[in-house]
Amino acid sequence: MNYTSIKDIDSLQKWVKQALKIKNKPLKNHKLGKNKTLGMLFFNPSLRTRLSTQKAALNLGMNVMVMNFTSEGWTLEFADGAIMNQGASEHIKEAAEVVSQYCDIIAIRAFAGLVDKEKDNAETVLAGFLKHATVPIVNMEGATGHPLQSLADAITMEEFKTEHKPKVVLSWAPHPKALPQAVANSFVEMMQLQDADFVITHPKGYELNPEITKDSKIEYDQDKAFENADFIYVKNWSNYTDYGQVTNSDSNWTVTADKMKLTNNAKFMHCLPVRRNVIVTDEVIDSENSIVIQQANNRTYAAQLVLQKILKNGSASKEKSKSKAKKDK
């Protein structure tokens, strides 16, 4: 079992309920990961993802090894048949198989390069490990998705759910740097599994990958989108058409208290880290309706649920193999 996309969830509602049970008793399955090792490989920086996933593993009794490829690992080559006479020192074929011998689960974080759309959409790093590793793989944010974050978002929204069918808005906001679409993509895919009035709002030209958004409603007027919303999820992403470019820095898209007044007393959500007074004003993120800290806390239980499912799946597979072996005798 791998967890690389929100599509790996068979029932989001069931998973959310299971995660909340884990949150209530996080050490209940502390023996499940005994003598098991999680290897966490970082090709990009992390705070919440690293600490929450590591804590989740420790809650399950696992050993944890962390490696930062930006400063500690050899530069990897991912192309088949490559003549390695340039910068790369090691091929993914050997690297993935070697790491698989040391770890029972490998978790990987590798952002989009935002230069080559085709390469990013191919999820080069993640796909390389999926192809050559011999143990389960967990996506700690890839080039096109962040399924641990979106699972945590679903858990958080369940905790703050409304009595009526909620209106949920994913809003673009300005940012000085070009950022990937990963968080927004996974949030969209998660919301497509929910019974909600879901709206995406962004400036014209900032459409996400249409293969992901599909028939999700898009509203180019942010104020109109915010009307009567119950949840406002804010995230910047760079231009998908003019790939990786910042073609709009309009500060009118910053989420302010006045914009939040258009909502139905909506909860404010963001994956963090956030640029204060660029993405959102202090007044909004520091308000009682801001649930960004709760979101961050739920990252642990999202990761723990995923690791728990992988460990149990592995145990079940071993038991099945033993049973088959006995029958064959």
Side-chain angles (χ1 to χ4, degrees):
M1 175 186 172
N2 301 306
Y3 185 69
T4 60
S5 165
I6 200 75
K7 295 176 183 177
D8 290 326
I9 296 176
D10 53 6
S11 170
L12 181 61
Q13 288 71 31
K14 287 182 180 179
W15 279 46
V16 167
K17 289 181 181 179
Q18 290 166 356
L20 289 172
K21 286 184 179 180
I22 289 172
K23 185 174 183 177
N24 189 45
K25 293 184 178 180
L27 300 180
K28 181 180 179 180
N29 289 299
H30 185 68
K31 294 181 180 179
L32 183 62
K34 184 179 179 181
N35 299 325
K36 301 292 184 181
T37 299
L38 171 67
M40 300 171 66
L41 310 182
F42 291 89
F43 292 82
N44 294 97
S46 179
L47 189 155
R48 277 148 295 277
T49 299
R50 173 173 174 170
L51 296 181
S52 62
T53 306
Q54 187 166 349
K55 182 178 179 181
L58 295 174
N59 283 349
L60 291 167
M62 299 184 76
N63 301 310
V64 181
M65 297 193 297
V66 179
M67 186 168 188
N68 294 297
F69 269 81
T70 52
S71 58
E72 299 169 341
W74 299 112
T75 303
L76 298 182
E77 174 61 61
F78 292 89
D80 291 335
I83 299 174
M84 293 174 58
N85 60 358
Q86 298 298 318
S89 304
E90 183 165 8
H91 201 281
I92 183 62
K93 288 184 177 180
E94 290 78 49
E97 289 192 48
V98 167
V99 176
S100 296
Q101 294 179 115
Y102 305 150
C103 307
D104 299 281
I105 302 173
I106 300 174
I108 299 165
R109 185 173 177 90
F111 294 172
L114 294 178
V115 175
D116 186 331
K117 183 193 292 188
E118 185 176 334
K119 181 179 179 181
D120 286 343
N121 283 343
E123 290 281 6
T124 304
V125 178
L126 196 62
F129 279 93
L130 283 168
K131 181 177 180 181
H132 299 292
T134 57
V135 297
I137 300 296
V138 174
N139 179 2
M140 295 192 295
E141 186 173 355
T144 63
H146 196 347
L148 285 177
Q149 177 65 57
S150 57
L151 178 55
D153 297 336
I155 296 166
T156 307
M157 291 171 67
E158 175 65 20
E159 290 182 308
F160 290 91
K161 66 181 179 181
T162 59
E163 294 183 358
H164 58 271
K165 181 178 179 179
K167 179 178 179 181
V168 182
V169 177
L170 170 64
S171 177
W172 179 93
H175 195 286
K177 294 173 61 179
L179 298 184
Q181 292 88 31
V183 171
N185 286 343
S186 286
F187 187 77
V188 169
E189 291 178 325
M190 182 272 288
M191 286 308 307
Q192 289 169 345
L193 301 176
Q194 300 272 35
D195 181 21
D197 178 10
F198 178 54
V199 181
I200 306 170
T201 185
H202 55 71
K204 288 186 177 180
Y206 265 76
E207 290 77 9
L208 293 162
N209 184 346
E211 293 182 8
I212 290 175
T213 55
K214 297 178 181 177
D215 59 353
S216 294
K217 182 179 178 181
I218 297 174
E219 173 57 63
Y220 298 114
D221 184 331
Q222 189 188 40
D223 287 354
K224 185 175 180 181
F226 273 40
E227 290 177 0
N228 297 315
D230 298 293
F231 293 92
I232 300 293
Y233 196 107
V234 183
K235 185 70 180 79
N236 172 269
W237 57 87
S238 55
N239 199 306
Y240 185 74
T241 303
D242 296 322
Y243 193 65
Q245 300 300 306
V246 177
T247 56
N248 191 319
S249 300
D250 187 355
S251 61
N252 288 320
W253 281 80
T254 299
V255 177
T256 64
D258 284 340
K259 289 182 183 290
M260 292 298 289
K261 288 177 183 177
L262 299 171
T263 72
N264 183 29
N265 199 32
K267 301 299 184 183
F268 175 83
M269 302 178 71
H270 191 282
C271 62
L272 303 181
V274 66
R275 299 259 183 159
R276 283 172 172 258
N277 302 306
V278 176
I279 295 282
V280 57
T281 61
D282 288 338
E283 188 177 2
V284 173
I285 196 170
D286 292 332
S287 72
E288 292 182 356
N289 280 26
S290 173
I291 56 175
V292 298
I293 303 303
Q294 292 91 327
Q295 271 180 274
N297 185 38
N298 283 331
R299 292 295 309 278
T300 296
Y301 310 109
Q304 191 167 333
L305 175 63
V306 168
L307 295 176
Q308 181 173 299
K309 283 182 175 290
I310 292 173
L311 289 170
K312 286 186 175 180
N313 184 67
S315 298
S317 296
K318 286 183 180 180
E319 288 300 318
K320 190 174 181 180
S321 297
K322 286 180 182 179
S323 178
K324 185 177 184 301
K326 287 183 180 179
K327 287 182 179 180
D328 291 342
K329 288 181 180 180

